[in-house]
Amino acid sequence: MKNYKEYLDYCQRLAEDINDSYSDDIDLNDRIHEIADGCSHVIYYAKAWDLVNMMRECDYEKFNEAVDDVQGNGFEFEGDINAHITWISFFLIRNGIYSAYQHIESEVVA
């Protein structure tokens, strides 16, 4: 991702996809996890690095939250920097989707 707006738009699109296809049969958190886990920005090292570096510059708070999530979920750095970066990227995407989805839900309720 080239900029913060692209990140927000991407997460918004994914949240809208979840909203459009949401079923009570699938736990929302599981669905968000599944979507985030399959994103190219999580799967491919170069895209993960781009996302993480962009977020460090544009929204350090969200970047730091993702780093804390990696550590809080028991994923420790074991010498493979690429794997560590993909975990940070995963939590950036997951948290972005979750935030966008909450915003969609609040508009529906209002």
Side-chain angles (χ1 to χ4, degrees), residues 61-104:
E61 186 176 321
K62 284 186 182 175
F63 163 77
N64 209 27
E65 180 183 325
V67 170
D68 289 345
D69 286 341
V70 170
Q71 294 168 344
N73 282 280
F75 303 109
E76 296 184 25
F77 178 68
E78 296 180 0
D80 184 350
I81 190 66
N82 288 317
H84 195 70
I85 292 296
T86 60
W87 277 113
I88 295 170
S89 182
F90 166 78
F91 283 104
L92 286 168
I93 297 290
R94 187 201 72 169
N95 295 348
I97 295 169
Y98 187 76
S99 178
Y101 189 83
Q102 285 183 315
H103 185 70
I104 290 169

Side-chain angles (χ1 to χ4, degrees), residues 8-19:
L8 292 175
D9 291 345
Y10 182 73
C11 292
Q12 180 69 32
R13 279 192 312 276
L14 295 174
E16 288 169 359
D17 288 347
I18 290 171
N19 188 53

